[in-house]
Amino acid sequence: VRVFVMTPSSREGVRVAERQRTTSGCMATFTDLSLPIAGTYRLHVSGGGLEAESVDFEVRPGPVTKLAFASLPIDAVVDRILEPPVVVELQDDHGNLVTDATGAVQVDLGHRPNDASLEGTRSVDAIGGRAVFTDLRIDRVGGPYTLVANSHLYGSAESNVFSVSAVPPAALAFGATPSTAVAGEILRAIQVFLLDDDTQIATGSYA
């Protein structure tokens, strides 16, 4: 007798586990099935040319045992809010989100190549198993950086590395130009500044 564990998303389902047992009398007993990923499943059993299928059942997450970063900034820019927002999940041993878990989560810079600071709201209460940080900023260009999440209930976790780039220039502006000039003589030094979209002098090097 074979038993398959399937997801019920389609008529045939997706087989996620399979076990085979020899019947004892008219009964086959399966005692070692486990499903690490939370979700909806059903059982399908076959043997001797016969088949049967169970009703759907739920596999729920276990208790929270760890923190994990679910979202990190892409193309982070110095002194700008990190996008997308940093998200830290409260997960069980198998990486399932525990949606009824709560608790405060703090974040700070882990690895940093300079004296950068993480600014914004660095302590957030998890809702639905997720702590979402919506206004974090880093005040220095560079990398690689990592973030570290901490919870007195669930321990700590470190993110993958990312970098922070300079604010891209948005305009040019003259800083110094000659007021008068003499034909054939070298003009006085001319300064041109790159400005960001806040009309501040942009940082970094540009061609």
Side-chain angles (χ1 to χ4, degrees):
V1 176
R2 288 184 175 180
V3 63
F4 303 101
V5 184
M6 308 189 306
T7 61
S9 56
S10 65
R11 179 63 188 88
E12 272 115 30
V14 178
R15 294 178 180 178
V16 296
E18 177 182 345
R19 293 290 187 275
Q20 183 171 331
R21 294 288 184 274
T22 302
T23 59
S24 175
C26 294
M27 180 176 66
T29 303
F30 300 82
T31 60
D32 61 348
L33 285 173
S34 67
L35 296 168
I37 306 302
T40 302
Y41 298 89
R42 67 169 61 120
L43 299 175
H44 182 95
V45 64
S46 64
L50 304 174
E51 296 186 9
E53 197 166 281
S54 76
V55 297
D56 294 350
F57 63 94
E58 295 293 325
V59 174
R60 297 177 179 175
V64 177
T65 60
K66 62 182 179 180
L67 304 176
F69 283 90
S71 175
L72 281 176
I74 299 173
D75 298 327
V77 176
V78 65
D79 284 327
R80 300 295 174 88
I81 292 176
L82 300 180
E83 294 288 348
V86 173
V87 178
V88 178
E89 289 188 349
L90 280 56
Q91 298 181 350
D92 67 11
D93 268 341
H94 301 288
N96 296 300
L97 174 67
V98 184
T99 56
D100 60 354
T102 58
V105 179
Q106 296 82 37
V107 294
D108 204 346
L109 289 176
H111 181 273
R112 68 189 87 186
N114 47 42
D115 59 349
S117 297
L118 182 67
E119 301 173 350
T121 305
R122 296 185 295 160
S123 181
V124 170
D125 290 328
I127 299 175
R130 289 187 172 96
V132 182
F133 300 84
T134 58
D135 64 350
L136 297 178
R137 303 180 305 280
I138 296 175
D139 66 351
R140 293 286 187 276
V141 173
Y145 289 102
T146 64
L147 296 175
V148 174
N150 288 284
S151 165
H152 75 280
L153 293 174
Y154 310 121
S156 64
E158 187 169 18
S159 74
N160 293 330
V161 299
F162 63 96
S163 296
V164 175
S165 61
V167 176
L172 297 173
F174 283 103
T177 59
S179 56
T180 60
V182 176
E185 293 186 1
I186 295 176
L187 300 178
R188 61 172 289 187
I190 298 172
Q191 293 179 329
V192 178
F193 295 108
L194 296 172
L195 304 181
D196 62 26
D197 52 11
D198 292 325
T199 68
Q200 301 297 312
I201 297 175
T203 58
S205 298
Y206 303 92

